[in-house]
Amino acid sequence: MTRMVGREAELEWMLGVLDDLHAGAVVSVEGEPGIGKSRLLTELANEAEERHFLVLEGRASEGETEVPFAPLLDALDDYLASVNPRLIKPADADGRNELARIFPSLAELGDSGAAAVQEERYRSHRAVRAMLESLAEKRPMLLVLDDLHWADSASVELVSHLIRHPPRARIMLAIGFRPAQAPERVRADLSEVKRLQLEPLSDEQARELIAELADETAGAEILRLSGGNPFYLEQLAREWEATGAFEPAADPAADRPDVPAQVSAAIDHELGRLGERAGLMLRGAAVVGEGFDPELAGRAADLDSQAALTALDELLAGDLVRRTDLPRRFRFRHPIVRQAVYASAPTGWQLGAHERVAEALVQRGAAPAARAHHVELSASPGDEAAIAVLTEAGTAASARAPSAAAHWFEAALRLVPDEDPGRRLGLLIPRARALAACGRYDDSLDDLDEVLGLMPADDPVLRGRVIASAAKVKQLVGRHGEAHRELEGALAALPDQGSPEATTLKLELAADSFFGGDQEDFERWVRAALTDAERRDDRSMTAAAAGLHSAALYMRDDLDAARTELDRGLELIAALPEGELADHLNAHTWTALGAVCMERFDAATALLDRTIEAALAAGQGHLPTLMRTTQALAQINQGRLEEAFPRLEAAVDASILTRNPVFLAWARSLQCWATLIAGDLPAALRLGELALEDAGSDPLSATAACYLAEARLAGGNATAARDEILTLAGGEGLPLIERGFRARGFELLARAEIDLGDLEMAAEYVNCATEAAAGLGIDGRTADAMRARATLELVLGEPEAAREHAEAAAQAADRAGLAIDGARGRALAARAQVEAGDEDGGRANLESVRDQLNALGAVHYADQAAAELRRLGVRVTRSERPVEREGLDELSSREREIAELVAAGRRNREIAESLFLSVRTVENHMARIFRKLDVSSRTQLAALVNEPAAGARP
């Protein structure tokens, strides 16, 4: 291997990250093919080993783009085989099962019969993160994953998770990839990553690199042709050293459009100088992959073992392939060389070579996933053995790598004759589900359309089931009108309009009406389904429809009837055995959401505990996301923040994986609200803005705007708070927000207008809140209206009236079990008490309320109470933040890094440039740093960082 030239500054920067590692950190090395990414990562790994890091290196390969977790297996599996399994975390059974599904070396850790749900695959990501943390307990770790642009989708999802949730241990993840080919999911998560973008070498550096291979005259031409790309420089210099010329091939770069013609020609000439057996062996290795073992490469080349090993020696001597750290494992000098070799092989020879590799893997007992790539590239239509292998590979990948599963099912479909509809249906249905699980909804719908085309036209019952499945997908992508028409058509085609199949379609029509914002149709279709179920004496369907009917009545503002129906529905559902509970989980989820809206928090949480377990057992992975979000909504209302946060994190992770914009917006909006309450305003604003990106024109998105508005108001942006509520809720009357929640929206609008100084408009919104809450019997909305009125009265100089209404707000919230809102009402009443002249009493009440809010983890509101106390001259210590740590150790690795740069005198723009971040991102980090350390200036921050006893790590 030639020495590294021209990357000293980049290596020094990466070593600085390595040396300052306090917690998980991610670094990306980016650049065009041949620019030196892999070489730089190799040097980083060598330096990390010198520093006694545990260094694990893996690489994605162009030939393994559908092998689940391929680069992770390359990096970790052999090492894990050498580790005592008892030392590997997670220690719980679910975590061990997840690891066993990914790593063959840990297969004995898991239960082979344990079920896995496609949409819950974030569990495997968490298990891997916990395992990495356990491996880094005794010494820090460097995990290198190179050529990520070729990584399979399961690996990309895992890397994306590690970027969003860095390990809580001294682990540096270094990834390398080509930006133009980078996976979309990774690109979206790179804003918080330390990014290093490699540029071409300077002329001076380039001359130094090739000084031993070419004279000055040739060097000038090599520099011109290479553009400063290190691999191109070396390849052209090799060609000059061997031939003394640069003669382009007759048809250069036919399969390498990104590689300069002269470089392609140089590679072709280098390959042409090989002996016959060495050339065959190199082609065989290219068929196996960038990393290969000689026996398999020999089989691909159709060489006997001795000839293969002799040829391997020639390839090593010519530096076309190189040894790796593993015995009997070799790699190509560069992926571009492997691409050139593979492209140079005749098509017929490639087919035969892949077939020989597939046969050799069968003899080795390799799993279908390892054989599928070669089978796909060599099988003929109608090949039953190949169809079986590809189907097995798809089935095996379904749970944790649905994108790969969809690929293998598609490969099998290409081999199945068109005149065999039964076989095609057996592959199209799981492929449609796999596509939906990884967020490829349009492709999933195309498959379901083909399923309908293959089904008998005279079987309306079966066709109705498929149309109902397609409707669920279309609701996610906003195609409500289309879904509604197809559902109505499927219903009309059924001979018995009161059959179970007809009732199911009516429930789907109800769901589509809800997402389309037509609450009248929502209630009408649910009522029709309930009538059907009761007429048939179908207890399972009756329980589901009754519970859902309560939610529909709530949305129609018929609260008395809604409560009566909710009681009946909850009683019927509670009596269902677990097997029947799973029949209508979607309806039960909406029943629970309605129960939360009607302040039946404990009943909703208990129901959702049952439904989550049933959904996972039944493999209905799309439902737990909404179930967990609904549970979190109940828990936030009750002041149980610590329980809500992990549920929301799981809901967000699942929604990201399935690319479900509706559920993602809802979960992130609740994260925004909970994070604001917990006292992290910058994070809350960021989460709210992310939620807004995915928000639609449905009731869930309208209520999501209210949670973001809370953060906007806390951040001093009343205009945005007002405008976003009005836009997403449909205008002045907030028509997209059901009346049962509308008072909260009007309260926020009143506060916004107070902040903006328009007290007349604020008074109008206070009246709207009062009217919206009147007669509902929902104490939380009464509290909202009373709190809005008290806030306005306090501004208008009417403290006695303000105190009366604030106390009424607190009492209403207490009746509902809204712990935080109750304390907020009492804090407002205490402020009014002070304004009315009872400063001592108001101060005592504020101190009591502040303690209550701190106990609930409601730091944001506790800080507001503390600010009032300071205004009254009371010395107040910093509020406790239970989700954070004290001192400099409280900071994340990125925040610590920024704090140290501030202490060194760097300004925000300089910090942004040095860390490859935007100025806005640095500003957001600064806001969090100031809050966590309770400082208010850069001078105070610098003093704290530079103080020896400030809590810095040794």
Side-chain angles (χ1 to χ4, degrees):
M1 184 182 295
T2 57
R3 61 195 178 90
M4 188 177 72
V5 173
R7 301 297 185 206
E8 293 80 7
E10 290 89 343
L11 179 59
E12 191 65 27
W13 178 79
M14 295 181 75
L15 291 176
V17 177
L18 199 71
D19 291 337
D20 293 337
L21 197 62
H22 300 293
V26 183
V27 173
S28 72
V29 181
E30 308 165 26
E32 64 183 22
I35 202 67
K37 301 180 296 296
S38 298
R39 182 58 194 277
L40 185 57
L41 290 170
T42 297
E43 292 295 329
L44 174 67
N46 293 339
E47 292 287 347
E49 286 183 334
E50 289 290 324
R51 289 161 166 77
H52 304 292
F53 272 62
L54 169 61
V55 177
L56 300 170
E57 300 175 81
R59 178 177 294 181
S61 171
E62 190 178 17
E64 296 179 326
T65 56
E66 299 301 336
V67 178
F69 302 104
L72 274 296
L73 294 176
D74 190 28
L76 289 160
D77 200 48
D78 286 327
Y79 176 76
L80 292 174
S82 68
V83 176
N84 186 335
R86 288 178 296 181
L87 302 178
I88 294 175
K89 294 178 182 177
D92 63 284
D94 287 343
R96 291 195 300 272
N97 288 334
E98 295 296 342
L99 295 177
R101 291 186 183 102
I102 297 173
F103 300 103
S105 61
L106 301 181
E108 294 183 0
L109 279 182
D111 175 5
S112 59
V117 180
Q118 290 172 328
E119 294 85 353
E120 295 273 303
R121 58 191 183 276
Y122 68 85
R123 293 172 178 265
S124 63
H125 307 159
R126 293 181 176 184
V128 170
R129 187 179 75 159
M131 179 191 72
L132 293 175
E133 289 170 347
S134 71
L135 296 178
E137 283 181 354
K138 293 186 178 179
R139 57 173 172 154
M141 175 195 297
L142 171 66
L143 175 60
V144 176
L145 299 176
D146 198 6
D147 289 336
L148 205 64
H149 49 276
W150 281 322
D152 61 283
S153 59
S155 295
V156 169
E157 289 177 350
L158 176 53
V159 170
S160 177
H161 178 88
L162 293 175
I163 291 173
R164 296 195 312 273
H165 307 288
R168 295 179 295 267
R170 294 184 64 194
I171 299 173
M172 178 173 170
L173 171 62
I175 58 177
F177 59 88
R178 303 173 185 174
Q181 298 170 250
E184 176 187 350
R185 196 178 294 273
V186 170
R187 283 203 306 268
D189 291 317
L190 286 177
S191 61
E192 295 297 315
V193 169
K194 299 174 172 67
R195 303 179 67 177
L196 188 61
Q197 296 173 320
L198 299 187
E199 301 295 335
L201 299 179
S202 67
D203 286 357
E204 181 180 356
Q205 293 166 337
R207 291 181 185 279
E208 181 182 353
L209 181 65
I210 62 173
E212 298 177 2
L213 298 175
D215 58 30
E216 186 172 342
T217 301
E221 181 65 5
I222 290 171
L223 262 61
R224 185 185 70 81
L225 295 173
S226 70
N229 182 295
F231 174 76
Y232 300 164
L233 282 162
E234 291 187 326
Q235 189 63 51
L236 291 167
R238 286 172 183 271
E239 178 71 0
W240 175 263
E241 184 182 39
T243 67
F246 305 112
E247 293 294 335
D251 184 20
D255 292 288
R256 286 159 270 156
D258 295 330
V259 180
Q262 287 82 0
V263 175
S264 284
I267 295 172
D268 291 340
H269 293 159
E270 183 178 10
L271 300 179
R273 292 191 288 271
L274 291 172
E276 181 181 0
R277 287 184 174 178
L280 283 171
M281 181 65 173
L282 195 61
R283 285 180 174 175
V287 165
V288 174
E290 188 186 335
F292 64 92
D293 71 63
E295 289 80 9
L296 208 55
R299 286 290 298 273
D302 205 15
L303 295 173
D304 62 51
S305 58
Q306 187 55 52
L309 292 175
T310 301
L312 177 64
D313 287 338
E314 183 178 343
L315 298 176
L316 288 167
D319 195 31
L320 284 158
V321 301
R322 292 169 177 171
R323 294 177 176 82
T324 69
D325 293 336
L326 298 176
R328 306 187 73 81
R329 179 77 173 175
F330 300 85
R331 285 195 182 278
F332 279 81
R333 182 176 78 225
H334 195 279
I336 293 175
V337 174
R338 186 253 171 193
Q339 290 173 312
V341 172
Y342 188 84
S344 71
T347 301
W349 187 91
Q350 288 178 358
L351 291 172
H354 281 293
E355 187 173 3
R356 290 189 289 273
V357 172
E359 291 170 353
L361 289 172
V362 170
Q363 294 168 4
R364 291 185 175 191
R371 295 149 47 199
H373 169 67
H374 301 286
V375 169
E376 178 187 14
L377 293 177
S378 61
S380 303
D383 185 334
E384 292 296 335
I387 293 171
V389 169
L390 294 168
T391 302
E392 286 183 60
T395 302
S398 289
R400 289 298 173 258
S403 181
H407 177 88
W408 297 131
F409 288 137
E410 168 62 21
L413 277 165
R414 288 197 298 268
L415 303 180
V416 174
D418 291 340
E419 58 272 15
D420 191 348
R423 295 281 299 283
R424 295 190 65 80
L425 280 173
L427 290 167
L428 280 167
I429 292 172
R431 181 173 186 264
R433 171 142 192 219
L435 288 167
C438 53
R440 293 170 57 187
Y441 296 117
D442 288 336
D443 292 334
S444 177
L445 289 170
D446 287 344
D447 275 7
L448 291 175
D449 283 343
E450 187 174 349
V451 167
L452 285 171
L454 293 171
M455 294 176 66
D458 59 355
D459 191 344
V461 172
L462 195 56
R463 293 178 65 83
R465 290 174 185 166
V466 176
I467 289 170
S469 297
K472 289 184 175 70
V473 178
K474 289 176 181 178
Q475 288 161 10
L476 293 176
V477 295
R479 291 160 60 176
H480 299 294
E482 181 182 341
H484 215 79
R485 287 191 299 273
E486 291 173 356
L487 287 166
E488 287 181 323
L491 177 61
L494 290 176
D496 182 358
Q497 291 293 293
S499 66
E501 292 77 18
T503 308
T504 298
L505 287 172
K506 290 171 185 176
L507 289 176
E508 287 301 327
L509 281 162
D512 192 71
S513 298
F514 172 82
F515 280 108
D518 190 337
Q519 303 309 329
E520 184 175 342
D521 254 18
F522 176 35
E523 195 269 334
R524 178 171 68 88
W525 284 115
V526 174
R527 184 164 19 90
L530 178 58
T531 301
D532 289 349
E534 289 176 329
R535 184 182 298 120
R536 293 195 313 269
D537 196 22
D538 183 338
R539 67 173 184 175
S540 174
M541 183 71 82
T542 299
L548 188 57
H549 192 219
S550 70
L553 289 167
Y554 164 80
M555 296 298 294
R556 289 287 312 280
D557 304 334
D558 191 347
L559 271 296
D560 289 338
R563 290 188 185 92
T564 300
E565 196 73 332
L566 177 62
D567 288 338
R568 182 167 80 108
L570 289 173
E571 183 179 350
L572 291 170
I573 295 169
L576 292 177
E578 298 305 314
E580 293 184 28
L581 180 74
D583 292 341
H584 304 290
L585 289 172
N586 195 38
H588 300 328
T589 304
W590 291 104
T591 298
L593 180 56
V596 171
C597 294
M598 288 181 274
E599 300 177 341
R600 298 284 299 278
F601 302 122
D602 291 338
T605 300
L607 172 57
L608 290 166
D609 282 339
R610 287 185 71 202
T611 58
I612 289 172
E613 184 176 346
L616 295 177
Q620 298 187 45
H622 61 292
L623 292 175
T625 300
L626 182 58
M627 293 172 181
R628 293 190 182 102
T629 304
T630 303
Q631 273 192 325
L633 176 61
Q635 289 159 345
I636 297 169
N637 273 290
Q638 292 177 296
R640 295 156 57 188
L641 295 180
E642 290 187 3
E643 297 174 64
F645 276 117
R647 284 171 173 78
L648 290 173
E649 184 177 313
V652 167
D653 283 343
S655 299
I656 288 172
L657 290 175
T658 57
R659 304 184 187 186
N660 184 326
V662 176
F663 290 177
L664 181 58
W666 180 234
R668 275 182 166 156
S669 69
L670 290 180
Q671 272 190 325
C672 164
W673 185 30
T675 302
L676 171 67
I677 294 170
D680 193 341
L681 175 59
L685 287 168
R686 184 175 68 252
L687 288 164
E689 288 164 357
L690 287 171
L692 205 62
E693 291 176 7
D694 292 302
S697 56
D698 55 83
L700 289 182
S701 296
T703 54
C706 294
Y707 299 123
L708 173 57
E710 289 275 11
R712 294 286 197 210
L713 288 171
N717 194 343
T719 301
R722 178 194 61 194
D723 293 349
E724 285 162 359
I725 290 177
L726 292 175
T727 299
L728 287 176
E732 289 290 341
L734 310 187
L736 286 180
I737 298 178
E738 74 275 13
R739 185 186 165 205
F741 191 74
R742 207 169 288 159
R744 174 61 67 92
F746 285 128
E747 185 232 358
L748 291 164
L749 288 171
R751 286 166 52 195
E753 295 296 352
I754 289 171
D755 286 356
L756 293 170
D758 191 341
L759 300 186
E760 184 177 344
M761 181 58 73
E764 288 190 27
Y765 283 132
V766 167
N767 291 333
C768 287
T770 303
E771 182 180 349
L776 288 177
I778 297 179
D779 286 317
R781 304 297 74 82
T782 299
D784 293 337
M786 291 295 99
R787 200 168 53 248
R789 187 167 297 280
T791 302
L792 178 61
E793 288 166 339
L794 200 56
V795 172
L796 292 173
E798 303 171 9
E800 292 293 351
R803 181 179 180 184
E804 178 184 348
H805 288 120
E807 288 176 346
Q811 291 164 7
D814 289 342
R815 287 195 301 272
L818 306 175
I820 294 172
D821 277 357
R824 290 174 65 196
R826 284 186 287 279
L828 187 57
R831 285 179 54 200
Q833 187 175 1
V834 170
E835 293 298 320
D838 184 4
E839 186 171 310
D840 291 341
R843 183 189 305 115
N845 287 333
L846 274 172
E847 289 176 336
S848 175
V849 168
R850 179 176 178 270
D851 291 342
Q852 293 170 23
L853 289 165
N854 267 326
L856 292 167
V859 173
H860 173 65
Y861 298 118
D863 282 350
Q864 289 181 345
E868 284 296 314
L869 288 167
R870 290 190 187 98
R871 189 176 65 83
L872 296 172
V874 179
R875 181 176 176 83
V876 181
T877 58
R878 179 171 169 265
S879 295
E880 297 176 9
R881 289 169 167 80
V883 295
E884 300 164 352
R885 303 180 304 276
E886 294 293 331
L888 290 180
D889 283 352
E890 174 185 354
L891 303 182
S892 69
S893 57
R894 173 52 57 85
E895 290 164 352
R896 177 70 174 261
E897 186 176 31
I898 290 173
E900 290 172 350
L901 289 171
V902 170
R906 305 282 284 277
R907 310 308 297 173
N908 285 0
R909 182 164 296 282
E910 295 171 325
I911 294 171
E913 292 172 353
S914 66
L915 298 182
F916 304 96
L917 300 173
S918 69
V919 174
R920 183 180 178 186
T921 298
V922 172
E923 290 171 348
N924 287 338
H925 279 301
M926 287 293 294
R928 288 196 292 274
I929 292 167
F930 276 28
R931 179 185 53 75
K932 288 182 178 182
L933 300 182
D934 200 21
V935 297
S936 58
S937 71
R938 300 172 79 91
T939 302
Q940 289 177 327
L941 174 59
L944 187 60
V945 171
N946 293 324
E947 182 182 349
R953 295 177 187 268

